[in-house]
Amino acid sequence: MTFALWALVIGTLMVTMVVAGTMLGQLALTSAMVYLALGWLLGPAVADVLRPNPFGATALLETGAEVALIISLFAVGMQLGIPLGDRRWWLSARLALLSMTAMVAMAAAIGVWWLHLPLGAAVLLGAILAPTDPVLASGMRSQAGTQPDPLGFTLGAEGGLNDATAFPFVVLGLGWLGLHDLGPGLLHWWAIDLVWTCLGGVAIGAALGVATGRLVVHLRSTYRQALGLDVFIGLGLIGMAYGAASVCAASGFLAVFAAGLALQRIRGRTGSAARQERMAGEMQDSVQAFNEQLEKVAELALVLMVGAMLGYTQPPSAWWFVPLALLLRPLSVLASGPLGMLSAPQRTMISWFGIRGIGSVYYMLYAVRQGLAPDVAATLVTLTLWTVAASIVVHGLTAGPLMKWYVAQERV
């Protein structure tokens, strides 16, 4: 296409994003559903304007999904203001680890017994579909502050954590396919891919978030320096956290999430001086507002990409796997242990709204780029894309009615 046509398409999409966000609240639709339909129409299946071939442009698409995931994780971290010692974090951590592990195991069992995949490919399929998406669940996500709604906080924190903690299971599947070194007796996987990747990512991101926030607030409140350009603070911190963690073979995703959490808590860590409190608050509000706008753009781009990539696949012959994958969510939540601290409506909502999205798309592309056999790659791409698309539609259609029911139940 010419530059003028690209300008027309992109401009139309940007306006659509604004209109969708303001008008669709009255309809049984979400903005992600609109983006998905537009992606399908603009993709090779119809207009052939967008051509995100998951088999031919894998590296470029993977980078785009990686950037979108980084932005969303930092934004989620900035939203979660509950102190780390609060027991609600323990619930989210259980969901991100135990529930996700159960999801991987159940999907892998289905892959081996019913889809007749090799064990490594089946584990890889489960790991790709295990992460939940905090961006697509934004209608139920926590608002900033120390007293958020338990439903929103739990879904947001779980999504922020399991988008990163899925990585060890992804490389485990790749290792059993001979595409990653797991070490003798899985030693490398346990020590590096699991323990160091997670703990190192959290430590690096938290340290950089605290140091950056304190430095900027100190310079502004004491010397009137480092003023303005808060946009670059957020972008710079994202780049430093992700880059430093990746160089150290730790999880860049967890580092970015932890950096957002740490920056969000600077307001309460800079001392009692009113000037420092005000400076910290202004910086956080500015960084958060800009990053939330970036997050919306990332959502638009990634869901459009999913819709367009569907044109490179056919509906899976094992069509039954798609609804079954969505129904595994309540079972995986049960496997994480009792949710006694939550009300019955909250448990119901959390058990249902495990929306699949950016994390699944990224890990799908990452796996394909590692050199999967063509038939395995085709199966994983097809099942992943159609499951993500079904999740966007089904969870989107049920979000409005269930949220109304949830609010009514919580008022009783």
Side-chain angles (χ1 to χ4, degrees), residues 118-407:
L119 177 60
V123 171
L124 188 55
L125 175 62
I128 288 171
L129 294 177
T132 57
D133 196 310
V135 178
L136 298 180
S138 59
M140 292 152 285
R141 199 171 69 195
S142 171
Q143 297 301 312
T146 58
Q147 297 295 328
D149 176 71
L151 170 64
F153 173 82
T154 303
L155 290 174
E158 179 198 4
L161 289 169
N162 68 19
D163 272 337
T165 53
F167 176 78
F169 296 97
V170 171
V171 296
L172 180 63
L174 290 172
W176 282 338
L177 289 172
L179 299 174
H180 180 78
D181 180 19
L182 299 176
L186 298 180
L187 179 61
H188 184 276
W189 183 80
W190 279 106
I192 304 300
D193 296 329
L194 181 62
V195 176
W196 166 247
T197 293
C198 295
L199 296 182
V202 170
I204 292 170
L208 287 173
V210 170
T212 301
R214 286 185 172 180
L215 175 62
V216 171
V217 172
H218 175 72
L219 290 175
R220 290 184 176 185
S221 61
T222 305
Y223 302 106
R224 300 290 299 171
Q225 296 178 0
L227 298 172
L229 298 179
D230 289 331
V231 167
F232 291 96
I233 297 174
L235 293 177
L237 182 54
I238 290 173
M240 288 193 302
Y242 188 80
S246 299
V247 167
C248 296
S251 171
F253 296 142
L254 273 177
V256 170
F257 180 64
L261 281 173
L263 189 65
Q264 198 278 339
R265 293 185 57 75
I266 289 297
R267 191 192 308 246
R269 291 173 173 262
T270 54
S272 58
R275 183 176 182 81
Q276 286 185 321
E277 287 286 320
R278 181 173 60 83
M279 288 292 180
E282 290 176 356
M283 178 190 68
Q284 291 166 3
D285 293 342
S286 180
V287 170
Q288 183 173 336
F290 174 74
N291 211 71
E292 287 177 354
Q293 299 299 319
L294 274 183
E295 184 187 41
K296 295 299 182 184
V297 174
E299 177 191 0
L300 168 64
L302 260 294
V303 179
L304 277 174
M305 187 172 75
V306 171
M309 282 194 292
L310 286 173
Y312 290 95
T313 69
Q314 297 294 325
S317 56
W319 59 266
W320 48 264
F321 177 84
V322 174
L324 183 58
L326 301 184
L327 294 176
L328 291 179
R329 166 67 176 183
L331 296 177
S332 69
V333 172
L334 287 176
S336 68
L339 306 178
M341 67 182 67
L342 301 175
S343 65
Q346 290 167 351
R347 293 196 295 270
T348 300
M349 296 290 281
I350 289 171
S351 296
W352 173 239
F353 283 105
I355 304 175
R356 270 57 195 176
I358 296 177
S360 295
V361 174
Y362 167 74
Y363 285 121
M364 175 197 77
L365 295 167
Y366 174 84
V368 171
R369 197 172 60 84
Q370 304 311 303
L372 295 176
D375 58 333
V376 172
T379 299
L380 293 184
V381 168
T382 299
L383 292 178
T384 299
L385 290 177
W386 284 92
T387 301
V388 170
S391 178
I392 291 172
V393 173
V394 173
H395 288 119
L397 289 174
T398 57
L402 286 179
M403 280 301 295
K404 291 180 181 179
W405 169 82
Y406 168 72
V407 172

